[in-house]
Amino acid sequence: MRVAAVDCGTNSIRLLIADVAQDGPPRLTDVVRLMRVNRLGQGVDATGRLAPEALERTFEAADEYAALIREHGAERIRFVATSASRDAENRAEFVDGIRERLGVEPEVISGDEEAALSFAGATSVLGGSNGSKTLVVDLGGGSTEFVLGTSEGVLAAKSTDMGCVRYTERHLTSNPPTEAQIALARGDVLDMIAQVLTTVPLAEADRLVGVAGTITTVTAHALHLPEYSPSAIHGTELDTARIDHAASELLHMDRDARAALPYMHPGRVDVIGAGALIWQTIVDRVAELTDGAVSSAVTSEHDILDGIALSVAR
């Protein structure tokens, strides 16, 4: 079966057209995998509304994706929207525009469902031994999901209003950010993790997996890649010291220095500092909570987009 999945987040909108093999556990073979930075969440944290120019960028990408879906003959489509459209009071305008272009109702999903789809997508390709507990962190533009589970499924999950776009707009407004801004942002991240602990027992994790563009970009920086390479990034395991070093460098760079990095997507230049700070703080806190038992993190290029495609096949 050929399926199409669209993940519309706060910073980017992504398309996966894939063939699904169903002899045994469903497996995806990519036909098309694309990402466009639409910054749908521009200003939502402050105004509670989707900006006209952000909707225009999103609809332009949706037109492109609709043409590709027709060209490649996908039999089923699922369009999932997350944090920015959850929070916006004018989300009906967004829903109507997507329905008109793709012929499907965009699903503005809950944080809990977002977490479950991220976990399914990440673990579908990484595997894991029976009984061991994997913590998947999906760090987006407007929200970050924490999901603890095993090969049998999700045990506990929590979605937080913490993301690279939201925290850039809220905290890191200088270029580069000041130490005072960084300290306030880090305090907010630690407060969010404390809230997560009431739902998700992070100390029980045996393995930490990070997904989405912030984490893959921090990994690319740690590896000093000559260009962005999903195959080089996927499955990479970095210890906390290397993640700390790479994240700290990205956080303290000015905009021009970040833009000059060969693996940096132009749409991520403005927000990678906040994303790097959030990831660094999460990694360090998980290491503390597990008494050093989890002292590294694995990066996955497969995430909620894969989870959406698998859900269509099911």
Side-chain angles (χ1 to χ4, degrees):
M1 182 192 302
R2 181 162 289 184
V3 301
V6 182
D7 166 39
C8 185
T10 300
N11 195 49
S12 64
I13 180 169
R14 299 181 301 148
L15 169 70
L16 173 60
I17 301 173
D19 290 328
V20 188
Q22 293 182 298
D23 48 340
R27 299 184 316 281
L28 299 175
T29 302
D30 289 12
V31 177
V32 174
R33 192 181 284 261
L34 271 184
M35 187 266 281
R36 298 285 181 257
V37 171
N38 58 335
R39 196 65 64 82
L40 182 61
Q42 172 192 331
V44 169
D45 189 54
T47 67
R49 294 182 61 82
L50 299 168
E53 59 270 32
L55 285 167
E56 185 178 334
R57 291 190 296 266
T58 303
F59 293 154
E60 185 178 325
D63 286 332
E64 178 189 5
Y65 290 176
L68 286 165
I69 289 166
R70 286 193 300 271
E71 178 187 339
H72 292 282
E75 300 164 52
R76 295 184 187 174
I77 307 168
R78 187 178 185 194
F79 186 110
V80 163
T82 53
S83 176
S85 41
R86 265 201 304 268
D87 297 342
E89 61 187 48
N90 61 332
R91 71 181 187 182
E93 191 178 341
F94 162 76
V95 169
D96 291 345
I98 295 300
R99 189 194 303 114
E100 179 185 321
R101 286 162 173 81
L102 287 169
V104 295
E105 192 76 13
E107 300 172 53
V108 182
I109 61 171
S110 69
D112 285 347
E113 185 172 1
E114 183 177 356
L117 289 169
S118 296
F119 186 84
T123 56
S124 67
V125 290
L126 288 174
S129 57
N130 286 340
S132 69
K133 294 178 182 177
T134 297
L135 174 64
V136 173
V137 175
D138 182 346
L139 202 174
S143 69
T144 296
E145 283 65 50
F146 295 76
V147 201
L148 186 69
T150 67
S151 54
E152 300 299 310
V154 174
L155 299 172
K158 175 74 173 174
S159 180
T160 64
D161 286 338
M162 170 173 70
C164 59
V165 174
R166 196 184 294 270
Y167 274 35
T168 299
E169 292 181 354
R170 188 179 292 181
H171 292 298
L172 306 187
T173 52
S174 299
N175 175 33
T178 66
E179 289 304 317
Q181 290 171 353
I182 290 169
L184 279 172
R186 198 179 303 279
D188 255 14
V189 179
L190 289 168
D191 286 346
M192 283 290 184
I193 295 171
Q195 292 177 35
V196 171
L197 282 166
T198 64
T199 307
V200 184
L202 302 179
E204 294 181 13
D206 299 304
R207 175 173 69 161
L208 175 59
V209 175
V211 303
T214 284
I215 294 168
T216 61
T217 302
V218 172
T219 303
H221 186 65
L223 296 173
H224 305 294
L225 295 182
E227 61 184 5
Y228 190 93
S229 168
S231 60
I233 292 165
H234 179 67
T236 293
E237 184 170 1
L238 298 173
D239 63 31
T240 53
R242 287 185 74 187
I243 294 169
D244 278 345
H245 182 71
S248 187
E249 284 190 339
L250 288 168
L251 174 60
H252 289 93
M253 282 179 182
D254 65 22
R255 191 186 189 287
D256 290 344
R258 292 195 300 268
L261 297 171
Y263 37 78
M264 183 67 64
H265 190 285
R268 214 169 289 288
V269 171
D270 292 327
V271 297
I272 190 62
L277 179 147
I278 293 168
W279 181 228
Q280 175 188 41
T281 308
I282 291 170
V283 169
D284 289 347
R285 189 74 182 106
V286 170
E288 290 172 4
L289 289 165
T290 60
D291 291 327
V294 177
S295 58
S296 63
V298 177
T299 302
S300 176
E301 280 278 352
H302 298 268
D303 51 28
I304 188 173
L305 191 58
D306 302 70
I308 297 165
L310 289 166
S311 75
V312 177
R314 294 191 188 102

